[in-house]
Structure formats: C-alpha cells, structure tokens
Amino acid sequence: LAGELRRLEKLQAVSDIAASISHEVRNPLTVTKGFLQLLREPNLTEEKRSTYIKYSLEELDRAEQIITDYLTFAKPSLENIEVLELDKELDYILKVVNPYATMNNVLIEVNIINNGYVTGEAEKLHQCLLNIIKNAIESIELEGQITITVDARDGMAKILIDDTGTGMSEEQINKLGTPYFSTKDKGTGLGTMVVFSIIKAMNGEIKVESEVGEGTRFIVTLPTTNHNSK
Ligand code: ADP
Ligand code: MG
C-alpha cells in the first residue's frame, strides 16, 4: 500500500500557518481563564474545584502541545537561511528526541549512505524531522525501532524514516496534513501539517508508504546544495 502525497500545493503557506497559531493557542487559554475565574467563587464544592483545575490543566496541555508542534513558525522566516549538513542536523535532532524514544522503548538507528547539504533554516528542518520522528515513536505500542536513512545523490537528498509501528490505512494516509486529523487522545493533528509546509517551503517532496500492522515509511526528498556555495 503506497499513498503518494501530492497535496503540497493546496497547503497553506508557512506564513499563513504562523498567523493561525495565535488563534489556536488563544482558544485553550480563554477556556482556562474562564475556569480560573470560576475558581474564585467562595463556596465551591471540592468536586467542582477539582473539575475546574483538571479542565484548566488539560487546556494548558493542549496549548503546550500546539506550541510544540508549531514552534519554529512563530519565528520570522528567511532570516536564518544557511547550508545545513544532514548528518550533523540529525545528530542534533537525535539528541533532542532520544529521551522520548527511550521512554517509549524505541531504538533509533541512523544510516548515512551518502551525506548531503541542503539550504534552509536549521530550526525548521529540526521541527519537520522531529514531528515525523515523534509520530513514528508514538505509533509504536510496546517496543520497536526507527531507522533513519540519508542518501544524497544527483542533486537530491532522500531522508527515509522507517518505523515498526501500527501503520496507517490508505484513508488515514490521505488525511495526513489535514488540520486536526488525529487518532490520538490528546493529539493536535497539526504536526504533519507543519511537516508538509516546511517541506514545501524547502522545495522538497514527501511520500508516505504504510502497511497496517507492519509500519510506516516517510520519504522526504530535498534538493541538495553544494556546501561551498553559501
Ligand atoms: P498528532 O500527532 O497530534 O495526532 P499529527 O499531525 O502529527 O498529529 O499526526 C496525525 C495523525 O497521523 C496521527 O494521529 C496518526 O494517526 C497518523 N500518523 C502520523 N505518523 C504516523 C506514523 N509514523 N505511524 C502511524 N500513524 C501515523
Ligand atoms: Mg504528531
């Protein structure tokens, strides 16, 4: 089963997404504010008190989750464009994500067949790959493995992210990148949308292959750069 994603054109531009973050974060903050105001009531029952606190914390979690998925979009674009060496960037990304992987009994292996250089913002590339790897980790139920392969040749760098997780149906694959599509209890459904936008901004492509019960492969293709041509 292979679903190819050709919907990059339809996606919102990075800047449009940035504009909607504040909106998305404001909702849970407004709800939390409401509950905090209710907590001021003097004769609240203990039950109501703990319910309001529970809802407030859940809403704040949601705000935090949204910020985690979007993070780099809040920052101005085009300013920090640089030449990025893929193996170095992956080293950094793995440092960030390894504790989360270990916590979930997931081993991450990196396989550099041919290293390469791409042009872009380090933070956006990090955010993009982190969102893909985080989903791969979250798709693994008890324990499993993620293999990241880099192969740069003929002006293109292929980055494969393979997981031994639950996999996705064709229908699920087609919904990827749709805002708020999530199969998780506390999912935002924003992670893959951000992934697609970043790849689009970097003039790259993304493909997803998946088999329910077997695992998923994300294939990110980015144009490479000669590392001397800054
Ligand atoms: P969230 O992670 O908050 O649910 P995302 O946009 O990051 O939002 O992902 C959307 C959905 O895509 C997930 O809920 C999951 O169903 C599916 N998904 C993404 N990556 C994978 C993967 N590697 N394996 C299985 N399902 C995945
Ligand atoms: Mg996610």
Side-chain angles (χ1 to χ4, degrees):
L1 176 72
E4 189 164 351
L5 304 170
R6 290 204 192 80
R7 290 167 291 140
L8 291 182
E9 323 69 54
K10 279 198 257 162
L11 281 164
Q12 299 178 71
V14 171
S15 57
D16 290 345
I17 290 185
S20 66
I21 306 168
S22 54
H23 175 76
E24 288 312 317
V25 176
R26 204 165 276 140
N27 281 340
L29 292 183
T30 306
V31 175
T32 304
K33 203 166 160 186
F35 283 121
L36 290 177
Q37 269 153 2
L38 287 174
L39 278 168
R40 275 172 149 171
E41 281 299 312
N43 304 311
L44 269 187
T45 63
E46 196 46 48
E47 197 195 341
K48 278 198 168 146
R49 248 175 71 84
S50 63
T51 308
Y52 295 163
I53 291 174
K54 180 172 164 265
Y55 288 158
S56 298
L57 290 174
E58 278 174 11
E59 291 298 314
L60 289 177
D61 269 349
R62 176 149 184 91
E64 192 179 30
Q65 203 55 59
I66 291 165
I67 291 167
T68 305
D69 282 351
Y70 273 133
L71 207 66
T72 55
F73 285 93
K75 291 176 187 156
S77 191
L78 296 171
E79 275 181 7
N80 314 309
I81 302 278
E82 53 188 331
V83 174
L84 308 167
E85 193 176 5
L86 288 172
D87 67 343
K88 293 227 176 73
E89 300 309 322
L90 273 170
D91 274 352
Y92 173 83
I93 290 163
L94 285 193
K95 266 195 210 124
V96 174
V97 83
N98 254 329
Y100 188 55
T102 308
M103 209 171 84
N104 288 283
N105 302 312
V106 175
L107 185 76
I108 305 183
E109 222 172 68
V110 176
N111 180 13
I112 310 281
I113 296 174
N114 263 317
N115 196 17
Y117 297 83
V118 300
T119 308
E121 286 173 83
E123 279 162 346
K124 288 211 167 89
L125 182 69
H126 296 166
Q127 174 91 68
C128 167
L129 295 176
L130 277 171
N131 285 4
I132 295 176
I133 298 167
K134 258 179 59 193
N135 282 337
I137 294 171
E138 287 161 6
S139 79
I140 291 169
E141 268 153 14
L142 295 174
E143 55 173 10
Q145 184 160 335
I146 295 172
T147 310
I148 303 171
T149 309
V150 173
D151 192 4
R153 60 182 78 215
D154 306 326
M156 295 306 267
K158 260 202 166 103
I159 306 169
L160 311 182
I161 300 105
D162 289 303
D163 68 58
T164 59
T166 53
M168 280 177 275
S169 66
E170 182 123 43
E171 200 195 335
Q172 272 177 293
I173 293 177
N174 288 327
K175 282 189 189 153
L176 284 177
T178 314
Y180 316 116
F181 162 66
S182 176
T183 56
K184 297 167 195 170
D185 273 355
K186 297 204 166 163
T188 63
L190 299 175
T192 47
M193 182 179 81
V194 165
V195 165
F196 293 171
S197 308
I198 293 175
I199 291 168
K200 183 189 177 191
M202 293 181 79
N203 297 315
E205 274 173 24
I206 185 162
K207 257 171 81 175
V208 181
E209 297 171 355
S210 191
E211 195 87 52
V212 174
E214 297 287 323
T216 300
R217 164 174 284 183
F218 272 77
I219 307 168
V220 175
T221 312
L222 295 171
T224 53
T225 262
N226 188 323
H227 75 111
N228 293 320
S229 65
K230 277 225 169 184

